[in-house]
Amino acid sequence: QIVSLAEAMSPDRVVFGIRADSLREAIAALLKQAGGDLPEPPERVAQSVLQREALMSTYLGNGLALPHCRLDSLEKPVLFFARSEDGIALAGTNERIELIFLLLTPGQMAGIQPRLLGDIVGLVESDYVTERLKNATNPEEVIEAVRDGQQIVLD
């Protein structure tokens, strides 16, 4: 099954100016602010994501975090995006998280999760796409950058 990252996004899943003292706080804030159309309460989804995060950090370096988890209650993948202009401190380091892609995939589609995670990593390896994400002024520009970036990765 082919799933586009852009199709997993919607304007209400894009948050600019997120402020938090840790990635944990940022995940909870993102889901509280943008997670209204999920089949489970945002707090429960955040708990699932944080349990996964506790097993292994999803900070990839270069200001990017990619928290994710599988939820049996989902029917299709859901992708959130958050940007922090001030950066979110990463415990034990001098690094700061600027971009967060939060991916939720259905439990029954476990095989698609690694491909979507790889697609996101491919996106941010492009300086062109990263600059567009950092300079976007509205959610539609973020979704367009993701769509264009995924096409670049496929080409």
Side-chain angles (χ1 to χ4, degrees):
Q1 185 175 0
I2 296 175
V3 177
S4 160
L5 291 174
E7 290 172 9
M9 299 181 83
S10 61
D12 59 334
R13 294 182 184 139
V14 176
V15 176
F16 296 122
I18 197 156
R19 294 182 184 272
D21 292 328
S22 67
L23 180 57
R24 292 180 65 87
E25 285 182 20
I27 290 167
L30 174 57
L31 287 167
K32 185 175 182 181
Q33 188 170 344
D37 64 345
L38 293 173
E40 296 182 32
E43 299 80 16
R44 188 173 308 145
V45 176
Q47 183 179 18
S48 296
V49 173
L50 293 172
Q51 286 174 344
R52 168 62 185 81
E53 184 71 21
L55 296 174
M56 181 167 43
S57 173
T58 55
Y59 178 68
L60 301 180
N62 298 323
L64 173 69
L66 188 46
H68 57 277
C69 77
R70 295 184 191 122
L71 296 174
D72 290 334
S73 59
L74 281 178
E75 293 182 20
K76 59 184 181 179
V78 174
L79 182 62
F80 295 89
F81 172 83
R83 185 176 70 201
S84 173
E85 283 72 14
D86 298 332
I88 300 161
L90 188 64
T93 73
N94 291 329
E95 296 191 54
R96 300 187 78 73
I97 299 167
E98 298 171 346
L99 303 177
I100 299 171
F101 281 97
L102 172 58
L103 177 65
L104 306 174
T105 50
Q108 66 276 15
M109 296 174 73
I112 205 164
Q113 186 181 50
R115 188 184 63 74
L116 291 174
L117 292 169
D119 287 352
I120 294 168
V121 171
L123 287 179
V124 296
E125 286 180 345
S126 164
D127 292 337
Y128 171 70
V129 174
T130 301
E131 282 305 307
R132 286 181 63 186
L133 293 171
K134 288 182 177 181
N135 294 313
T137 58
N138 61 60
E140 290 77 11
E141 289 178 20
V142 169
I143 295 169
E144 185 179 316
V146 168
R147 182 177 293 111
D148 293 350
Q150 195 168 18
Q151 189 58 47
I152 290 168
V153 170
L154 291 174
D155 292 345

